[in-house]
Amino acid sequence: MSLPLPPPASARDPVTPEGRPGPVTPERWASGPPSQAQPLLRQEAKGEEEEGEETGVQGAWGTGAAGQGWRGWGEAARAAAAEAEEGQVAARGAAAAGAGGGRGGWRRLLAWLRRRRPQCCPCAAPLPRSAAHCCHGGTKMAAVAYNLGKREINHYFSVRSAKVLALVAVLLLAACHLASRRYRGNDSCEYLLSSGRFLGEKVWQPHSCMMHKYKISEAKNCLVDKHIAFVGDSRIRQLFYSFVKIINPQLKEEGNKHGNIPFEDKIASVKVDFLWHPEVNGSMKQCIKVWTEDSVAKPHVIVAGAATWSIKIHNGSNEALSQYKMNITSIAPLLEKLAKTSDVYWVLQDPVYEDLLSENRKMITNEKIDAYNEAAVSILNSSTRNSKSNVKMFSVSKLIAQETIMESLDGLHLPESSRETSAMILMNVYCNKILKPVDGSCCQPRPPLTLIQKLAACFFTLSIIGYLIFYVIHRNAHRKNKPCTDLESGEEKKNIINTPVSPLEILLQSFCKLGLIMAYFYMCDRANLFMKENKFYTHSTFFIPIIYILVLGVFYNENTKETKVLNREQTDEWKGWMQLVILIYHISGASTFLPVYMHIRVLVAAYLFQTGYGHFSYFWIKGDFGIHRVCQVLFRLNFLVVVLCIVMDRPYQFYYFVPLVTVWFMVIYVTLALWPQIIQKKANGNCFWHFGLLLKLAFLLLCICFLAYSQGAFEKIFSLWPLSKCFELKGNVYEWWFRWRLDRYVVFHGMLFAFIYLALQKRQVLSEGKGEPLFSNKISNFLLFISVVSFLTYSIWASSCKNKAECNELHPSVSVVQINP
């Protein structure tokens, strides 16, 4: 291990034995103590060399790899002694010792520091002036430890090592998930119907997949021209009502409880029936048998189940259980036959809360229910010669009931929230494979690769192969150009010819990295390799990462070279923090918590404000309206998103923020580029041009207001081809109109702010010299007070909002005021 580079010859010692500055030359750094050195220091350096010889290596002047290391320590020790004599900081010698000495070097360094007498000297580390004025032993050791610790951390924990660790972690996780899928199976439908847990109180999390919460329009779209039949007792009737309320939330639970209940939505052509058959007997068998006939229309989905009435009527007798087994054995072949053309689900019986049961239901115990469930599972799963029954067991409701049956009113029927969860599971089982929602991975098969995805995969594969070929060629050329040893003289001859890196190799390397990143994204988002989980917001999942990165940011800071308002370094850091917070917001599902949602809306508005400010400032000052600038910005904004759209087979509007920023950039460009083009250079000669620019901005504001309050005009514009291909989502542009409308004024506000600020700066009303404040202390304190009051007022308002619709209606106007301070 080699020593670190010596300090430059121009470096000056703060103090020399003669009391005047002196240079630190490479010769003095590499050599031992000079002849006029104190005997004590010379003896210490010698003792350290002898200590090195006692370790079993050949000492400071030994040969071989180990000898080279100890020689580095000997040179470092002498350099340390020389610096002590000259009044230099011990940290430089210690750093050299750390490079060559290892653990023994640390011990010798600390022993040398302890033997030294405290004296006034300058410090190596950037300490306060009081400490630097007189560094005693404790302060010096702390400074040395800080420098060496920082050196070691930076040596082992770099950006490169972090990337390697991340890659290894991803590969290990992928291997573990792949092994788990192979061992436990890859049927997410089975997981959805049989396993899961509650996140909090109401969010049900199936094992390894995500559930989608269906809205009314989605449910009707999925069930159009469908017929669903619920067959069973009062518990099945409850499930029927919860299922129908997804389609029509206004439906009331009325009608004969012990009779059939029909439901039909004529607009969507959805028909859902409840058929009262509280026991598994001949009546239920006859109902199912009718559907097996070829001339009868069969329901698309059949949900059946019953047992508690058999336990109640026959007082929980064993004969009733035997009869139940016989009856379900006779029904099983009919259900199997129906399962070939329809989705058939047998609902296992939920547990009861025995303490709340009435006297006429006391015989319905959990032990009896388990016996009936065991009989149903064993018979239905063995009713076919195939390895797997086509009748699906709906056993997840039993797990849900175990957590919520204590909230039951009578100990038998489930609370409404539990029934809604079971109904939503049924909706996911049937509709996920039809509608393929983004946030619903359960029962959704992996989508087949499109032609453009296959072409992208071939392109990235060829890029990786091409880069590997270039890498092998470059490495072989590098081996040939390695220095070789001259056998006669024993010296190395270096070949001065260096193999140049071609631009094609650099391009292929970039595509190779991009391809690997896209492959990882595809595995996480579109493939079924990794397990997925629903977003569930808690205060800790959102605020703990925020606090962590804030604390981490305190230790990593640097001074900026610019002092102007919203300079490039400041806006880049601002955008970086905002993107990090928004990322945590999306990962933690914080949109369900209204105050956090509204504050994140302000961050998005602030980003758009900088878009207006930055692009307006560039066009106003530079006057560059060329096509090169436009293409450069559009490429920078959209390259990654376009690649994601190709690889993930997603619409452009799926990543809505990039289209939003892109459209606003084009609005700014068109506003300033249209005749007459007004720039700062032209406006300085005549104030009339300032008035002309204000007219342009006023016309822009008028257009924004018109499109914001005329949804029809907005949708007509963006429904035109080819704009419709970029801005439609699920066949319409409503989502795009909603996103655009949320922050409609903030970009205009950024443009206006930039115009006023640059005009005042040009008039020298605002002075921004380096280290010079923009305003006086009184004005600065007043503006700070206004900012704090504005932030607190907004936070109180965001917390008092009743719902998102109300908040979003006022947000476009309120966010402008919030950003301005």
Side-chain angles (χ1 to χ4, degrees):
M1 189 178 294
S2 60
L3 287 171
L5 292 175
S10 60
R12 298 287 176 177
D13 289 326
V15 182
T16 63
E18 294 81 11
R20 56 182 174 79
V24 179
T25 62
E27 292 78 16
R28 288 174 61 191
W29 176 272
S31 62
S35 58
Q36 70 269 25
Q38 298 177 5
L40 176 62
L41 297 177
R42 205 182 298 116
Q43 183 178 357
E44 289 174 356
K46 181 179 178 181
E48 290 168 358
E49 293 175 11
E50 293 173 354
E51 185 179 350
E53 293 174 357
E54 293 174 359
T55 60
V57 195
Q58 295 196 22
W61 305 102
T63 59
Q68 293 290 337
W70 291 114
R71 182 166 64 249
W73 166 249
E75 294 173 0
R78 285 192 295 277
E83 287 189 356
E85 179 191 6
E86 296 291 330
Q88 286 285 353
V89 183
R92 293 179 182 170
R103 291 185 177 179
W106 278 88
R107 289 196 295 269
R108 286 187 289 276
L109 173 64
L110 294 176
W112 175 73
L113 288 172
R114 285 194 293 268
R115 288 196 298 270
R116 289 201 60 202
R117 293 175 298 175
Q119 58 181 347
C120 290
C121 63
C123 289
L127 299 174
R129 292 185 178 180
S130 58
H133 179 70
C134 186
C135 285
H136 296 285
T139 309
K140 183 183 290 290
M141 292 182 66
V144 172
Y146 173 80
N147 284 332
L148 290 178
K150 186 176 181 180
R151 175 190 177 88
E152 290 296 318
I153 290 174
N154 291 336
H155 177 72
Y156 291 105
F157 297 98
S158 60
V159 175
R160 182 182 180 85
S161 60
K163 289 180 179 179
V164 172
L165 288 174
L167 179 61
V168 172
V170 168
L171 294 177
L172 288 176
L173 284 174
C176 291
H177 279 272
L178 184 62
S180 176
R181 293 286 189 183
R182 293 284 185 181
Y183 176 73
R184 301 188 62 174
N186 198 27
D187 189 357
S188 59
C189 265
E190 185 176 343
Y191 293 145
L192 178 61
L193 292 171
S194 61
S195 61
R197 70 188 191 279
F198 271 108
L199 299 177
E201 297 180 356
K202 295 183 178 180
V203 179
W204 181 255
Q205 172 58 55
H207 175 71
S208 79
C209 65
M210 297 186 300
M211 272 180 57
H212 175 67
K213 188 174 182 179
Y214 278 89
K215 300 176 183 178
I216 300 174
S217 58
E218 293 174 325
K220 289 183 178 180
N221 189 26
C222 168
L223 300 177
V224 62
D225 296 328
K226 297 295 189 297
H227 179 203
I228 298 94
F230 288 81
V231 183
D233 54 12
S234 58
R235 287 180 164 185
I236 300 298
R237 184 182 66 240
Q238 283 187 310
L239 184 59
F240 157 79
Y241 274 119
S242 297
F243 187 87
V244 170
K245 284 182 179 180
I246 300 176
I247 306 170
N248 182 12
Q250 308 301 325
L251 182 70
K252 296 181 180 180
E253 298 185 18
E254 298 175 344
N256 184 10
K257 292 184 177 180
H258 295 169
N260 299 338
I261 304 174
F263 169 81
E264 186 175 3
D265 189 319
K266 295 182 179 180
I267 299 176
S269 299
V270 178
K271 185 179 179 182
V272 185
D273 290 329
F274 169 71
L275 305 178
W276 173 252
H277 292 283
E279 289 189 87
V280 181
N281 54 19
S283 175
M284 180 183 285
K285 180 180 178 181
Q286 184 61 31
C287 173
I288 296 173
K289 187 176 181 181
V290 170
W291 288 328
T292 60
E293 297 176 2
D294 297 334
S295 59
V296 178
K298 302 172 180 59
H300 297 86
V301 179
I302 299 171
V303 182
T308 55
W309 270 69
S310 298
I311 301 174
K312 177 183 175 181
I313 293 175
H314 300 284
N315 200 24
S317 64
N318 293 330
E319 291 78 5
L321 178 60
S322 300
Q323 185 65 39
Y324 179 84
K325 291 180 180 180
M326 295 174 58
N327 292 337
I328 202 170
T329 301
S330 63
I331 290 177
L334 301 176
L335 293 176
E336 279 294 330
K337 186 176 181 180
L338 276 175
K340 295 179 181 179
T341 56
S342 305
D343 290 349
V344 180
Y345 303 95
W346 186 266
V347 182
L348 297 184
Q349 294 301 299
D350 303 327
V352 296
Y353 193 48
E354 297 179 6
D355 295 340
L356 288 179
L357 291 174
S358 59
E359 289 299 325
N360 62 340
R361 293 174 176 170
K362 286 293 184 180
M363 70 291 297
I364 307 175
T365 63
N366 288 323
E367 183 180 357
K368 292 291 182 181
I369 287 176
D370 290 339
Y372 276 73
N373 284 337
E374 184 179 351
V377 171
S378 60
I379 293 171
L380 291 174
N381 282 340
S382 61
S383 61
T384 178
R385 296 179 180 179
N386 299 326
S387 59
K388 188 175 181 181
S389 173
N390 292 323
V391 179
K392 302 178 180 67
M393 291 294 160
F394 194 81
S395 59
V396 69
S397 61
K398 185 173 66 172
L399 299 178
I400 297 172
Q402 288 174 354
E403 301 291 333
T404 60
I405 192 62
M406 290 77 70
E407 303 173 12
S408 173
L409 297 177
D410 57 5
L412 178 66
H413 299 98
L414 295 179
E416 188 174 357
S417 60
S418 302
R419 292 180 284 155
E420 291 174 352
T421 302
S422 297
M424 194 60 69
I425 290 174
L426 278 175
M427 190 69 74
N428 275 260
V429 170
Y430 186 76
C431 292
N432 279 6
K433 56 181 175 290
I434 298 174
L435 296 185
K436 299 178 181 178
V438 175
D439 59 342
S441 63
C442 299
C443 290
Q444 188 176 154
R446 185 178 63 182
L449 293 175
T450 62
L451 177 62
I452 194 169
Q453 284 179 301
K454 293 177 181 178
L455 293 176
C458 293
F459 173 78
F460 286 124
T461 303
L462 292 175
S463 298
I464 294 173
I465 295 173
Y467 172 70
L468 292 176
I469 293 173
F470 271 100
Y471 177 77
V472 171
I473 296 174
H474 185 76
R475 189 171 182 179
N476 290 336
H478 181 69
R479 286 180 178 177
K480 294 178 181 178
N481 294 332
K482 267 191 173 181
C484 55
T485 304
D486 191 344
L487 297 178
E488 295 181 0
S489 61
E491 298 179 352
E492 290 184 347
K493 292 183 178 180
K494 294 185 178 180
N495 193 341
I496 61 173
I497 301 176
N498 294 323
T499 306
V501 180
S502 66
L504 180 59
E505 183 178 356
I506 297 175
L507 183 65
L508 289 175
Q509 183 184 18
S510 302
F511 282 132
C512 178
K513 291 180 180 179
L514 181 63
L516 293 176
I517 294 171
M518 290 298 113
Y520 175 67
F521 286 175
Y522 182 84
M523 286 192 298
C524 292
D525 185 59
R526 302 296 277 166
N528 293 326
L529 176 62
F530 293 105
M531 297 181 184
K532 298 176 175 60
E533 186 168 297
N534 290 92
K535 294 179 182 180
F536 176 68
Y537 172 78
T538 60
H539 293 316
S540 58
T541 56
F542 177 74
F543 287 105
I544 288 178
I546 296 292
I547 295 172
Y548 171 75
I549 62 172
L550 287 176
V551 172
L552 194 64
V554 171
F555 296 96
Y556 293 91
N557 56 75
E558 59 184 16
N559 296 326
T560 180
K561 298 178 181 178
E562 297 186 43
T563 58
K564 293 183 179 181
V565 173
L566 294 178
N567 59 72
R568 183 61 180 268
E569 293 182 2
Q570 181 184 2
T571 54
D572 284 349
E573 183 176 2
W574 191 4
K575 289 179 180 179
W577 280 104
M578 287 190 297
Q579 290 178 6
L580 194 57
V581 173
I582 292 173
L583 180 65
I584 296 173
Y585 160 82
H586 282 295
I587 291 175
S588 60
S591 61
T592 57
F593 186 53
L594 196 55
V596 172
Y597 168 80
M598 294 309 302
H599 284 83
I600 295 299
R601 293 303 326 161
V602 173
L603 290 185
V604 174
Y607 197 104
L608 293 172
F609 171 86
Q610 292 180 70
T611 298
Y613 175 87
H615 291 306
F616 179 90
S617 299
Y618 178 86
F619 290 128
W620 176 251
I621 296 173
K622 300 289 186 180
D624 180 12
F625 297 102
I627 193 65
H628 178 266
R629 168 69 182 177
V630 177
C631 293
Q632 185 183 42
V633 174
L634 293 179
F635 178 83
R636 174 163 48 88
L637 292 176
N638 292 274
F639 174 72
L640 179 60
V641 169
V642 170
V643 175
L644 283 172
C645 291
I646 293 172
V647 174
M648 303 295 175
D649 190 27
R650 300 290 193 193
Y652 180 61
Q653 189 56 221
F654 182 80
Y655 309 95
Y656 75 92
F657 188 74
V658 172
L660 192 64
V661 178
T662 302
V663 167
W664 279 116
F665 166 74
M666 293 304 301
V667 169
I668 298 169
Y669 174 78
V670 171
T671 302
L672 298 178
L674 285 178
W675 184 89
Q677 290 184 359
I678 304 173
I679 61 175
Q680 188 181 56
K681 188 175 181 181
K682 181 187 293 187
N684 289 337
N686 190 345
C687 293
F688 173 78
W689 291 112
H690 287 91
F691 179 72
L693 183 62
L694 288 175
L695 287 178
K696 276 191 169 186
L697 294 179
F699 179 74
L700 173 61
L701 180 61
L702 185 64
C703 293
I704 292 172
C705 293
F706 172 74
L707 292 176
Y709 292 101
S710 179
Q711 182 180 351
F714 185 93
E715 291 183 351
K716 284 182 180 179
I717 293 173
F718 287 95
S719 296
L720 298 174
W721 190 90
L723 292 179
S724 60
K725 297 298 181 182
C726 296
F727 298 102
E728 280 186 356
L729 188 65
K730 298 179 181 179
N732 59 71
V733 296
Y734 171 79
E735 184 72 16
W736 165 238
W737 177 77
F738 170 76
R739 297 290 181 184
W740 176 88
R741 191 170 179 267
L742 274 178
D743 301 294
R744 55 185 179 271
Y745 298 129
V746 71
V747 174
F748 170 81
H749 178 62
M751 298 172 65
L752 184 62
F753 179 85
F755 170 70
I756 296 173
Y757 165 71
L758 294 173
L760 293 177
Q761 186 186 53
K762 197 65 179 178
R763 299 283 180 180
Q764 297 183 350
V765 176
L766 299 177
S767 177
E768 288 186 294
K770 194 168 185 179
E772 189 175 333
L774 185 63
F775 301 106
S776 63
N777 289 334
K778 290 184 178 180
I779 297 177
S780 298
N781 292 334
F782 175 74
L783 292 177
L784 178 62
F785 174 76
I786 293 297
S787 300
V788 173
V789 171
S790 174
F791 177 76
L792 293 177
T793 304
Y794 182 85
S795 298
I796 294 172
W797 171 77
S799 302
S800 62
C801 267
K802 296 180 180 179
N803 50 62
K804 285 186 179 180
E806 178 184 331
C807 292
N808 288 335
E809 193 65 31
L810 294 175
H811 169 75
S813 303
V814 177
S815 63
V816 170
V817 180
Q818 178 69 9
I819 294 169
N820 193 46

